[in-house]
Amino acid sequence: MVDSDDPLLALVMQSLDDDQAQDLVTIDLEGKSSIADFMVIASGRSTRQVAAMAQKLGERLKQNGFGAPRIEGLPAADWVLVDAGGVVVHLFRPEVRTFYNLERMWGFDGPSGAA
């Protein structure tokens, strides 16, 4: 389902894995939305971890030539959106992720952690 050859997606997944993101889910948006090619959803254990993951991801994207992503939600860090163009990343605290349940909204029925 996920194109492992996509360099932007690979960088996003590696960055989140390096920062110990939990319950990573990748949703292929091709044919479902024009906003991006992929959506990545992950959890952090605390607002501090969610904010740090978003900031480090932004830095890594810039360092690797993908430009500066738009990052929304850093002040509270309950739910942070990182718009990297072809990949949109949602980082949540676990209880906030459960409340919004984006996986179900986008029709993702696969196992948690699928990538």
Side-chain angles (χ1 to χ4, degrees):
M1 175 168 102
V2 174
D3 181 5
S4 60
D5 294 332
D6 186 290
L8 175 57
L9 179 62
L11 177 62
V12 167
M13 298 302 288
Q14 186 63 56
S15 179
L16 295 176
D17 186 58
D18 288 350
D19 293 336
Q20 300 178 1
Q22 299 176 330
D23 301 321
L24 278 136
V25 170
T26 303
I27 301 173
D28 187 341
L29 296 180
E30 187 174 349
K32 294 181 182 179
S33 175
S34 62
I35 61 169
D37 298 325
F38 299 99
M39 177 183 298
V40 175
I41 304 170
S43 298
R45 293 179 301 277
S46 66
T47 56
R48 183 178 294 211
Q49 185 190 17
V50 168
M53 287 189 302
Q55 290 169 330
K56 287 181 183 178
L57 176 57
E59 292 167 11
R60 290 172 179 142
L61 288 167
K62 280 191 258 186
Q63 290 169 355
N64 286 277
F66 290 103
R70 183 172 177 174
I71 301 175
E72 303 277 339
L74 274 179
D78 286 330
W79 175 3
V80 177
L81 172 77
V82 180
D83 183 351
V87 178
V88 174
V89 182
H90 295 273
L91 302 173
F92 292 97
R93 283 188 309 106
E95 51 277 5
V96 177
R97 181 177 179 173
T98 300
F99 179 79
Y100 286 102
N101 199 359
L102 290 185
E103 292 94 331
R104 188 174 67 187
M105 180 179 6
W106 283 95
F108 181 79
D109 297 322
S112 207

